[in-house]
Amino acid sequence: MEAAADPELQSFIEAETQKQRFQGLVHQLTELCWDKCMEKPGPKLDARCEGCFVNCVERFIDTSQFILNRLEQTQKTRDPFSRSLTD
Amino acid sequence: MDGFSSDFSPAAPASASGKLDTGAIMEQVKVQIAVANAQELLQRMTDKCFRKCIGKPGGSLDNSEQKCVAMCMDRYMDAWNTVSRAYNSRLQRERAKM
């Protein structure tokens, strides 16, 4: 309890939590993009493969933003989608 | 890594005055996070490289399988670093937009 009130510790925990969230997503994305981009591990990561990983990360974030935006919109307009959720 | 676990069990470290030692707590948290990350990486890497390299499990991990696993580990680390960089630069760009 006393520890939670320590401002130094609090900001440290916040920063570490943030870092951990980042690392967690890197683990998840590496695994996901590995399945999409890696055919057979060679002696080095070639440029084409590296590009695939970069695109994979970018498109994943685009997708997550797209889904979030679309859900937000469908919530607002209450189109058939939101009804189907409650049915 | 074995040595780390024994550090976790005692209650929060206290200085001579009996107050919680913030610095020591932060050190412990850092170590625990590092261990957790290493385990996470190890687990996913083992899974991926087993799938890539061991087609039909034989009587032993033969030479070509070992070579494949070694190469796979290195490429997995490359991939991890590439993803980390790409994600980080995307975050930076998103932040600049706001």
Side-chain angles (χ1 to χ4, degrees), chain A residues 6 12 16 20 22-23 25-27 30-31 34-35 38-39 41-43 45 53 58 61-62 65, chain B residues 20 22 26 33 37 40-41 44 48 52 71-72 75-76 78-80 82-84 87 90 93-94:
Chain A
D6 185 335
F12 167 79
E16 289 302 317
Q20 207 36 42
F22 174 85
Q23 293 238 317
L25 202 72
V26 173
H27 283 303
T30 304
E31 183 169 48
W34 177 268
D35 292 339
M38 187 58 75
E39 313 237 310
L45 195 71
F53 274 102
E58 295 281 353
I61 297 168
D62 288 346
Q65 286 178 345
Chain B
L20 290 170
T22 305
M26 296 199 305
I33 288 174
N37 271 322
E40 185 81 37
L41 182 66
R44 290 175 193 248
K48 291 300 167 202
K52 282 268 186 255
M71 204 131 77
C72 177
R75 295 301 75 75
Y76 199 85
D78 290 345
W80 201 96
T82 302
V83 166
S84 175
Y87 181 34
R90 176 67 182 257
R93 266 179 286 138
E94 296 289 332

